[in-house]
């Protein structure tokens, strides 16, 4: 079996890769060590890939080198060219490609063109599971990508009558096809309809989920891609793939659970509640909103002792993180304390705001979680909300009919003055209006986040 290196060496290589993966996951839990953790994880993956390709004699080592160079070049180009605001979309695609790879490997193995020659019922059931998870992850990730790009009706949920019943019927059909695949080992063509059913399930799974729940969906699809890889590892009897897939799947599930807890919702509610639908008859009469200028904002900020910045997706879209950092530096230079309040589901993927602020070299010790910042909000002179809506909406505390009721929020309304930078009064991704827009203590600063913060910076410098 092992023409280039002994199999025991490969086992040790997998063990070393697994240790590197675990250490990488631990390091990536903190912004301070995330970059190092990412590099360690990449080294672990390189070790596992090289060991696998050499021992299984899949292709000549020269082509392995060619593949490494090509893959590294593509990855480097993507890393340097994709905008930070497009990272959620890129993660969605990467999840999808992981699922597609697992599905294609299972297809090849079932037709006998791979590295194994088995056709037992157990082998075919595992192949069926890998096919189901892999292909639903692929199509589900493509839909998530389309929603994040807002090419699907602005990313809002798509629902139709008897949708849940159809979903369960498709899952039951997939289970029946997996059983049939194992029952008819000499008829591998059963895997073709299974692929089609799995692809439809992926689409049906994601279309009813609104943009506000995208961080949870991205995390869940990441978990699915790991589970598909682990199933493929059992298919190929590859310990390295089993370990890495299990780690990705487990970490994704844990993160999904944490995200659901942050919204005080169950996973089933996230998947089936279709939060973000535009409901007719929910508009109510509102008082007129007074517009404030950047000069007004600068004057109020100069009189504050503590300014809390609440970043949201609007800041990401405007690429305003660098000028926000400049604003914070100006305030700090004048003896004003500045803190950033990071809600766990702010943005469109887990950790999105932390990554954006790290790109602008915002000091880690200025980043505060929701639990850390809320007790300090009453002493804040200003809460500056930039493109965030749902994570500060008090309807989550008071309106039992609201789809976000029960979700813990950042208590921006407890600051003495609330400044909200938005392009309009339109609701956020949850589709819920916000009473804070009309509150007496609120200063609405309408406009592009980057342009408005730049104007505030200019006003401070001029003053």
């Amino acid at each position: 079996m092992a023409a280039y290196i002994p199999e025991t060496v490969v086992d040790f290589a997998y063990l070393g890769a697994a240790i590197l993966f675990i250490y990488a996951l631990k390091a990536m839990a903190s912004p301070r060590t995330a970059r190092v953790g990412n590099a360690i994880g990449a080294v672990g993956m390189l070790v596992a890939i090289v060991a696998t390709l050499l021992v299984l004699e899949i292709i000549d080592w020269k082509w392995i080198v060619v593949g490494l160079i090509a893959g590294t070049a593509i990855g480097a180009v993507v890393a340097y060219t994709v905008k930070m605001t497009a990272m959620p979309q890129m993660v969605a695609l990467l999840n999808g490609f992981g699922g597609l790879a697992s599905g294609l490997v299972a297809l090849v193995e079932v037709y006998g063109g791979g590295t194994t020659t088995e056709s037992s019922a157990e082998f075919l059931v595992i192949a069926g599971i890998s096919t189901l998870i892999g292909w639903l992850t692929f199509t589900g990730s493509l839909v998530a990508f389309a929603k994040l790009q807002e090419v699907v009706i602005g990313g809002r949920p798509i629902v139709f009558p008897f949708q849940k019943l159809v979903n369960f019927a498709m899952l039951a059909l997939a289970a029946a096809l997996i059983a049939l695949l194992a029952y008819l080992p000499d008829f591998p063509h059963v895997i073709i309809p299974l692929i089609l059913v799995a692809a439809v399930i992926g689409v049906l799974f994601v279309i009813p989920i609104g943009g506000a729940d995208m961080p949870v969906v991205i995390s869940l699809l990441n978990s699915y891609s790991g589970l598909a890889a682990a199933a493929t590892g059992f298919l190929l009897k590859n310990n390295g793939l089993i370990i890495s897939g299990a780690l990705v799947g487990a970490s994704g599930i844990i993160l999904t659970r944490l995200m659901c807890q942050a919204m005080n919702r169950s996973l089933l509610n996230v998947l089936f509640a279709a939060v973000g639908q535009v409901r007719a008859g929910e508009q109510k009469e509102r008082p007129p909103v007074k517009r404030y200028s950047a000069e007004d904002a600068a004057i109020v900020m100069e009189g504050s002792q503590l300014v809390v910045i609440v970043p949201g997706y609007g800041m990401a879209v405007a690429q305003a993180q660098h000028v926000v950092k400049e604003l914070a530096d100006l305030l700090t230079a004048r003896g004003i304390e500045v803190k950033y309040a990071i809600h766990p589901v702010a943005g469109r993927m887990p950790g999105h705001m932390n990554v954006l602020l790290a790109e602008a070299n915002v000091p880690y010790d200025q980043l505060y979680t929701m639990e850390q910042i809320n007790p300090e909000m009453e002493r804040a002179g200003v809460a500056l909300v930039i493109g965030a809506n749902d994570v500060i909406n008090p309807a989550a505390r008071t309106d039992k009919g609201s789809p976000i009721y029960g979700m813990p929020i950042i208590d921006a309304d407890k600051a003495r003055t609330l400044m909200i930078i938005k392009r309009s009064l339109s609701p956020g991704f949850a589709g819920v209006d916000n009473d804070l827009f009309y509150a007496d203590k609120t200063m609405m600063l309408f406009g592009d986040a980057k342009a408005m913060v730049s104007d505030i910076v200019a006003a401070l410098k001029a003053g």
Side-chain angles (χ1 to χ4, degrees):
M1 180 179 178
Y4 295 91
I5 53 177
E7 191 172 352
T8 52
V9 175
V10 176
D11 289 336
F12 277 111
Y14 286 157
L15 180 61
I19 294 172
L20 291 173
F21 291 151
I22 294 171
Y23 188 82
L25 287 172
K26 185 177 186 303
M28 285 190 282
S30 168
R32 295 180 185 276
T33 55
R35 187 169 297 179
V36 174
N38 196 36
I40 293 173
V43 171
M45 184 58 68
L46 178 64
V47 170
I49 290 174
V50 170
T52 300
L53 292 178
L54 288 179
V55 75
L56 294 181
E57 302 180 74
I58 297 174
I59 52 177
D60 187 271
W61 67 270
K62 295 175 183 175
W63 290 109
I64 296 175
V65 174
V66 171
L68 283 173
I69 294 174
T72 302
I74 294 172
V77 170
V78 170
Y80 279 103
T81 57
V82 172
K83 295 180 179 178
M84 293 305 294
T85 50
M87 285 300 292
Q89 291 92 314
M90 194 176 88
V91 172
L93 286 180
L94 292 177
N95 289 340
F97 290 151
L100 178 62
S102 298
L104 290 176
V105 169
L107 178 66
V108 171
E109 294 295 333
V110 167
Y111 274 101
T115 59
T116 61
T117 56
E118 286 195 40
S119 61
S120 65
E122 180 184 0
F123 173 83
L124 291 170
V125 167
I126 296 173
I129 293 173
S130 178
T131 299
L132 174 61
I133 303 176
W135 283 94
L136 78 84
T137 302
F138 175 59
T139 56
S141 298
L142 292 183
V143 176
F145 171 81
K147 280 177 169 279
L148 291 167
Q149 283 290 100
E150 300 189 19
V151 297
V152 180
I153 58 172
R156 297 198 179 282
I158 299 174
V159 295
F160 56 83
F162 307 109
Q163 192 167 21
K164 295 177 186 175
L165 185 61
V166 171
N167 290 347
F168 285 119
M170 294 300 291
L171 284 173
L173 178 58
L177 288 170
I178 292 174
L180 189 61
L181 185 66
Y183 185 74
L184 299 173
D186 296 329
F187 191 71
H189 308 303
V190 175
I191 199 170
I192 301 301
L194 177 59
I195 289 173
L196 297 176
V197 170
V200 173
I201 291 174
V203 174
L204 293 175
F205 163 69
V206 178
I207 60 172
I209 302 173
D213 290 329
M214 271 302 132
V216 180
V217 176
I218 294 296
S219 177
L220 189 60
L221 287 170
N222 178 253
S223 173
Y224 285 175
S225 69
L227 294 176
T232 305
F234 281 108
L235 196 66
L236 301 176
K237 294 183 172 54
N238 184 297
N239 293 330
L241 195 54
I242 294 172
I243 294 172
S244 58
L247 288 174
V248 172
S251 60
I253 288 290
I254 292 171
L255 186 55
T256 301
R257 177 177 169 77
L258 292 175
M259 301 292 284
C260 288
Q261 288 177 337
M263 297 190 297
N264 196 28
R265 295 165 60 196
S266 68
L267 180 58
L268 289 178
N269 182 267
V270 170
L271 297 180
F272 299 113
V275 170
Q277 293 183 80
V278 177
R279 295 181 171 87
E282 289 190 347
Q283 297 297 324
K284 56 184 180 182
E285 291 293 327
R286 293 290 194 179
V289 173
K290 186 176 180 181
R291 293 172 178 264
Y292 288 85
S293 67
E295 289 74 18
D296 298 328
I299 292 171
V300 176
M301 283 186 184
E302 283 188 308
S304 304
Q305 293 184 329
L306 170 63
V307 173
V308 176
I309 299 173
V310 185
Y313 187 69
M315 184 193 77
V317 170
Q319 286 285 289
Q321 61 270 29
H322 296 281
V323 70
V324 168
K325 169 70 164 48
E326 185 180 1
L327 171 64
D329 289 343
L330 274 175
L331 294 173
T332 302
R334 299 180 184 213
I336 301 169
E337 190 177 9
V338 176
K339 296 183 177 181
Y340 294 82
I342 312 297
H343 192 281
V345 296
R348 295 189 176 183
M349 64 178 285
H352 196 189
M353 291 300 106
N354 299 68
V355 173
L356 284 170
L357 295 172
E359 183 193 26
N361 295 318
V362 172
Y364 297 132
D365 57 7
Q366 290 186 0
L367 306 184
Y368 288 76
T369 64
M370 176 178 61
E371 292 78 11
Q372 291 172 324
I373 200 66
N374 275 345
E376 299 193 55
M377 291 306 296
E378 289 186 356
R379 75 176 185 90
V382 171
L384 177 62
V385 181
I386 308 175
N389 183 53
D390 301 325
V391 299
I392 62 161
N393 194 333
R397 292 195 300 251
T398 59
D399 184 1
K400 293 185 178 179
S402 172
I404 62 172
Y405 178 71
M407 182 179 82
I409 60 171
I410 292 175
D411 297 332
D413 56 319
K414 294 182 179 178
R416 283 192 288 278
T417 300
L418 178 60
M419 298 180 185
I420 300 178
I421 299 177
K422 275 180 69 72
R423 291 179 180 272
S424 68
L425 291 174
S426 61
F429 280 113
V432 183
D433 200 2
N434 194 329
D435 290 341
L436 289 181
F437 297 164
Y438 315 94
D440 292 337
K441 69 186 325 182
T442 300
M443 298 174 63
M444 292 301 299
L445 304 166
F446 290 107
D448 174 80
K450 185 175 182 179
M452 181 57 70
V453 177
S454 297
D455 290 345
I456 296 174
V457 168
L460 283 171
K461 290 179 176 177

